[in-house]
Amino acid sequence: AQTVTQSQPEMSVQEAETVTLSCTYDTSESDYYLFWYKQPPSRQMILVIRQEAYKQQNATENRFSVNFQKAAKSFSLKISDSQLGDAAMYFCASSLVGGAQKLVFGQGTRLTINP
Amino acid sequence: GAVVSQHPSWVICKSGTSVKIECRSLDFQATTMFWYRQFPKQSLMLMATSNEGSKATYEQGVEKDKFLINHASLTLSTLTVTSAHPEDSSFYICSARSPTGGIDTQYFGPGTRLTVL
């Protein structure tokens, strides 16, 4: 069974600074997908970034990038030049390739941006 | 692209009544949709997987007779909470799966807040 763990319930960062959110996972599969979603106060789940496990290159989306360490089963999210709009709950998630592709979510990390 | 709508955004009902929540993929077809429940300050809990044209697959502990799911078309799935009780009050979120960019990704609706009096 897949599991996803986010060990940081809360994080805070100064506006314009960089912050890294941690995520570890466990799976017996060799191919899978990894995701970061954010949930702002509106509670709308928004896709931030995604990564295919068989791709070595770390995914990047503008100010958001990941550090994917497959051997260590780690998938951290780096937010550069933090903005007030980045304040949200961030969820790390994984799904298998093929089949139902259900998402398994971590517990979430609440990110606060200090002006 | 990959927009998912959900209706209603909030609903208040009396105990014992039924409530239907709609989930639509607006700009893509989704053979698979998912229904989640989220309690305050917690992560999302998967309730069921909805497959177009077939019966939904429910997670362990979810009452299929209480949470009726219908996926009648490639763009619409509905969740009906039957004989709702106060303990069913929660935030319900749907998602639809799309293979955009070569990675099957779930895109989420804005959620429905259900309050049962």
Side-chain angles (χ1 to χ4, degrees), chain A residues 4-56:
Chain A
V4 177
T5 302
Q6 293 177 251
S7 59
Q8 304 157 316
E10 297 183 352
M11 290 282 285
S12 63
V13 64
Q14 290 294 126
E15 192 176 3
E17 297 293 309
T18 296
V19 64
T20 299
L21 307 184
S22 300
C23 172
T24 59
Y25 60 92
D26 193 19
T27 179
S28 58
E29 302 293 326
S30 59
D31 200 11
Y32 44 89
Y33 300 132
L34 296 165
F35 305 87
W36 278 97
Y37 287 91
K38 66 181 279 190
Q39 188 179 39
S42 67
R43 303 191 77 172
Q44 166 80 62
M45 292 285 285
I46 301 167
L47 176 68
V48 176
I49 199 166
R50 55 189 177 176
Q51 173 90 37
E52 299 175 76
Y54 71 84
K55 285 191 174 180
Q56 297 286 349

